[in-house]
Amino acid sequence: MKYINLFAQELYAACDEKLGKEEIVQRIEKPKHEELGDYAFPCFDLARMKRETPKRIAANIASRIHSAHFEKVEAVGPYINVFLKKETVAYEVVRKILQEGNHYGTSNLGKGGAVTIDLSSPNIAKPFSMGHLRSTVIGNALALILEKSGYRPVRINHLGDWGTQFGKLITAYRKWGNEAQVRQNTIKELLALYIKFHEEADLTPSLLDDGRKAFKSLEEGDPDAVALWKWFREESLQEFNRIYQLMGITFDSTNGEAFYNDKMQCVVELLEEKELLTESQGAMVVEVDDHLPPCLIKKKDGATLYATRDLAAALYRYETYGFNQALYVVGNEQSLHFKQVFKVLKKMGYEWADQMHHITFGMMLKDGKKMSTRKGKVVLLEEVLKEAIALAKENINTKNPLLKNKQIIAEQIGVGAVMFHDLKNDRRNDIDFSLEDMLRVEGETGPYVQYTNARACSILRKGQFQSEKNSSIIVDKEAWPIITRLNEFPMAVDRAVKEYDPSQVAKYVLDLSRSFNKYYGQTRILDDKTHMNARLKLVSAVSIVLTEGLRLLGLHAPEEM
């Protein structure tokens, strides 16, 4: 960002303040071809303002730009292209990375402000499916990226531990459950019971009434129903925590839906006090605006809904954490729900509602269709992780059988492959589940980036790299693309924060890996002893940034593979 700002400062002074500095920064581009320079500024907007041709303005401004960091400034048609001084920039960038280590790219953008992040949120008594992977890894990566940018993330696993589905499950367990089998393999057996309930309900619709009655008894505190619910919840948490531990993900709160049962009446009373509740066909709603349907707060039978619960959760979280932002990492299909909730909070007079954001993401599809636990069309995340780990271990045994800590590294590679496959995609897009694509060790994959870092670490070991040794940086044609990539890391982090999009970091580490591997293929780093340590400085900087980039995505960076 430093060199973009330097360019912007020169442009600001040269274009007679027709554009503000921020406007100039936003317009600066990176040319598609290296021979056109390192940065470019299009003059079309200035041409409209000054009523001159873009070509003439570009030539005029280019002649007025002078900076010690620029090797050349030239006008090419309507563009002003600048070429940075390679030796100066290389020295500054690599020295900064070697000095700051994993703090490179860190900023104080958030100034310590709290950001609550609602992520993962699986339903208890159901297995952790691939459908929950997206919220989990996107939310976790956002927490790490926000933390690097000076925010204080609060990770909240808002468990789905309440609702009519538990009445259905209790009914199914009472009708067909075998306690010994359920205790031996709780989640698998509960899933089978849940699926059986819906299959039987298609034939005998009265089962649905039984499920509703069972949930009503749970709400009223029936000891037997409550005991079953607690058992289902406890067993589920144990299974979830095993998977979270494998993925290296932790939470600051696991308060689920049930936690807010005693807090919803307060929300209803507040809405009544503010005269926001109105009756609609026996139900109680809040009119949001002309463009959205009313937000349903209480059903005709008096039961509360998800919106009531989320309003209670928002009030609790603001009182507890005093958040600057509140993020909800939840699928695209819930967009209307969150628009309604945020609007209701704003109508209640809470200005902080403007800082609440629904971080949407597409669905994880299987054969182009949505996965469904109800119909048994589900891929279990733990099975995918185990298969990925097994394949990683098989590859290690084939290519590096003497590697130490094979199981640990296989887990880091296998789990990382699954997580990276998700995070490299724009979060808003649907992803079709493909185990084969996730586990590839070449191309745009996590193992490719991890292997690139392991290769860099191997070179550093063989060259006995000494970071404190006084040597310059060798900046030849092959090294310059790496220097420019390294310089862009803080900007990639900044984009990820502003767009709430971890794929900005994932795409960045892929680009850096490709640049380094090309350099490795063209340069005999260890052969020229005179310049070896100078080249190793660049290799070390690459390893530092790849390791930190992977960490921000929740992945490990093994030094050997």
Side-chain angles (χ1 to χ4, degrees), residues 234-361:
E234 187 178 314
E235 291 292 336
S236 297
L237 278 174
Q238 286 183 19
E239 172 147 329
F240 295 162
N241 286 335
R242 187 175 68 250
I243 297 169
Y244 290 134
Q245 187 174 4
L246 193 59
M247 298 171 73
I249 294 173
T250 59
F251 299 95
D252 301 293
S253 167
T254 54
N255 289 334
E257 293 176 21
F259 178 79
Y260 297 99
N261 281 343
D262 61 353
K263 299 171 179 59
M264 287 186 288
Q265 185 56 35
C266 177
V267 171
V268 175
E269 290 170 3
L270 275 171
L271 290 169
E272 287 174 339
E273 284 176 21
K274 296 175 184 291
E275 299 182 346
L276 294 173
L277 273 185
T278 57
E279 186 177 334
S280 175
Q281 298 178 353
M284 302 306 291
V285 303
V286 174
E287 296 289 345
V288 182
D289 60 32
D290 294 337
H291 306 292
L292 295 173
C295 183
L296 189 57
I297 302 299
K298 289 181 78 172
K299 289 182 181 179
K300 191 174 182 179
D301 62 4
T304 52
L305 294 103
Y306 284 120
T308 329
R309 207 174 298 275
D310 277 342
L311 290 168
L315 293 171
Y316 174 83
R317 290 172 187 177
Y318 188 77
E319 290 170 5
T320 304
Y321 305 111
F323 58 75
N324 285 2
Q325 293 183 61
L327 309 183
Y328 294 80
V329 187
V330 183
N332 292 331
E333 63 270 21
Q334 295 298 320
S335 292
L336 173 61
H337 167 76
F338 285 109
K339 283 178 184 176
Q340 290 176 318
V341 169
F342 300 163
K343 289 273 189 181
V344 171
L345 288 166
K346 192 68 185 290
K347 290 193 79 167
M348 292 174 78
Y350 300 116
E351 293 300 320
W352 44 264
D354 289 333
Q355 302 309 314
M356 303 178 77
H357 307 288
H358 177 201
I359 310 303
T360 62
F361 57 84

Side-chain angles (χ1 to χ4, degrees), residues 115-397:
V115 180
T116 58
I117 306 175
D118 193 321
L119 70 151
S120 196
S121 308
N123 294 317
I124 70 165
K126 294 181 185 177
F128 202 121
S129 75
M130 285 297 296
H132 287 101
L133 175 70
R134 303 220 66 194
S135 175
T136 305
V137 298
I138 292 170
N140 183 61
L142 283 176
L144 293 166
I145 292 166
L146 287 164
E147 189 172 44
K148 188 171 182 68
S149 299
Y151 293 91
R152 181 166 53 87
V154 181
R155 299 166 176 84
I156 299 173
N157 194 357
H158 187 73
L159 295 168
D161 60 359
W162 203 248
T164 54
Q165 69 265 33
F166 294 101
K168 296 174 182 178
L169 191 58
I170 288 168
T171 300
Y173 177 76
R174 286 170 173 166
K175 283 184 174 292
W176 309 295
N178 180 299
E179 183 178 350
Q181 288 179 347
V182 172
R183 288 195 179 278
Q184 187 176 3
N185 201 338
T186 308
I187 301 301
K188 184 178 179 181
E189 291 297 324
L190 292 179
L191 174 62
L193 288 171
Y194 187 74
I195 293 169
K196 183 175 177 64
F197 178 91
H198 285 280
E199 289 173 345
E200 293 294 329
D202 287 340
L203 303 173
T204 312
S206 61
L207 264 179
L208 295 173
D209 291 329
D210 294 340
R212 282 189 282 269
K213 289 175 184 175
F215 180 60
K216 192 171 189 299
S217 71
L218 177 62
E219 286 187 301
E220 293 170 349
D222 173 69
D224 180 59
V226 170
L228 286 174
W229 174 80
K230 285 183 176 179
W231 176 37
F232 297 160
R233 189 181 194 279
E234 187 178 314
E235 291 292 336
S236 297
L237 278 174
Q238 286 183 19
E239 172 147 329
F240 295 162
N241 286 335
R242 187 175 68 250
I243 297 169
Y244 290 134
Q245 187 174 4
L246 193 59
M247 298 171 73
I249 294 173
T250 59
F251 299 95
D252 301 293
S253 167
T254 54
N255 289 334
E257 293 176 21
F259 178 79
Y260 297 99
N261 281 343
D262 61 353
K263 299 171 179 59
M264 287 186 288
Q265 185 56 35
C266 177
V267 171
V268 175
E269 290 170 3
L270 275 171
L271 290 169
E272 287 174 339
E273 284 176 21
K274 296 175 184 291
E275 299 182 346
L276 294 173
L277 273 185
T278 57
E279 186 177 334
S280 175
Q281 298 178 353
M284 302 306 291
V285 303
V286 174
E287 296 289 345
V288 182
D289 60 32
D290 294 337
H291 306 292
L292 295 173
C295 183
L296 189 57
I297 302 299
K298 289 181 78 172
K299 289 182 181 179
K300 191 174 182 179
D301 62 4
T304 52
L305 294 103
Y306 284 120
T308 329
R309 207 174 298 275
D310 277 342
L311 290 168
L315 293 171
Y316 174 83
R317 290 172 187 177
Y318 188 77
E319 290 170 5
T320 304
Y321 305 111
F323 58 75
N324 285 2
Q325 293 183 61
L327 309 183
Y328 294 80
V329 187
V330 183
N332 292 331
E333 63 270 21
Q334 295 298 320
S335 292
L336 173 61
H337 167 76
F338 285 109
K339 283 178 184 176
Q340 290 176 318
V341 169
F342 300 163
K343 289 273 189 181
V344 171
L345 288 166
K346 192 68 185 290
K347 290 193 79 167
M348 292 174 78
Y350 300 116
E351 293 300 320
W352 44 264
D354 289 333
Q355 302 309 314
M356 303 178 77
H357 307 288
H358 177 201
I359 310 303
T360 62
F361 57 84
M363 291 185 290
M364 181 73 76
L365 306 175
K366 186 182 180 187
D367 301 324
K369 297 179 181 179
K370 183 179 179 181
M371 298 178 184
S372 171
T373 309
R374 178 181 296 184
K375 296 179 180 179
K377 294 178 180 177
V378 64
V379 177
L380 303 185
L381 176 58
E382 188 170 22
E383 290 181 3
V384 172
L385 294 177
K386 284 179 178 178
E387 191 165 343
I389 292 166
L391 182 61
K393 195 167 184 180
E394 186 180 311
N395 287 336
I396 291 171
N397 287 331

